[in-house]
Every structure is written in C-alpha cells, then in structure tokens.
Amino acid sequence: MGDTTVDISQLSFEDALRALEDVVRRLEGGEVPLDESINLYERGEKLRQHCQARLDAAQSRIEKIVAGPDGEAKSTETFGSE
C-alpha cells in the first residue's frame, strides 16, 4: 500500500488503516530522507483523518440502529471504550 497516488477518499477503512500503518512503519524505520518524511507525515495525517471520519460515521450508524422508537438512544457507549 505504499502508493501515494491513491485517492485517500476512495479507500475503505481497512485499506486506509493498512496504508497508515505502512507510513508509520516507514517513518519509524528512520531510513527515509527528510523531504520524503515530511510528505509521508502529511499523507499519514490525511489517512488518520479519513479513518477517524469512517469510524465516526460507523458510530453514528450504530447509534441510529440502537435508537428507540422516539429517536432516543436506548443505550450507547463510546466507540472503543472498554
């Protein structure tokens, strides 16, 4: 998934997460030249935002599913809470 020409908005959550993991792995490796590191960091931030938006949309859909007939949520938990 190292292709930086792929339109992030078209990626599934899973593909975006894999691409973000690849960016992090490359940055942590320390073998990337400075200019490329900056570009990778920018792409990583866009991927993170895309993943967060997809998670927020999923949470919203789940809350609608568990809403009662009056539109109020029967019970909700913060997504990812334990």
Side-chain angles (χ1 to χ4, degrees):
M1 236 21 265
D3 186 2
T4 58
T5 61
V6 174
D7 182 5
I8 291 171
S9 68
Q10 300 303 310
L11 293 176
S12 69
F13 173 79
E14 293 79 10
D15 287 341
L17 187 58
R18 277 190 289 273
L20 180 56
E21 290 169 346
D22 181 56
V23 165
V24 170
R25 194 170 24 258
R26 291 179 67 195
L27 288 172
E28 286 180 342
E31 300 295 321
V32 182
L34 179 59
D35 287 342
E36 188 177 345
S37 292
I38 293 167
N39 291 336
L40 279 170
Y41 185 85
E42 289 172 342
R43 181 165 175 78
E45 179 57 21
K46 289 175 185 173
L47 287 162
R48 185 202 63 78
Q49 290 172 355
H50 178 71
C51 287
Q52 186 62 55
R54 297 297 296 259
L55 287 173
D56 291 345
Q59 180 177 359
S60 177
R61 288 180 65 195
I62 291 168
E63 288 174 355
K64 286 179 185 175
I65 292 168
V66 299
D70 58 359
E72 292 295 316
K74 294 178 189 175
S75 74
T76 61
E77 264 183 49
T78 303
F79 188 73
S81 69
E82 295 188 48

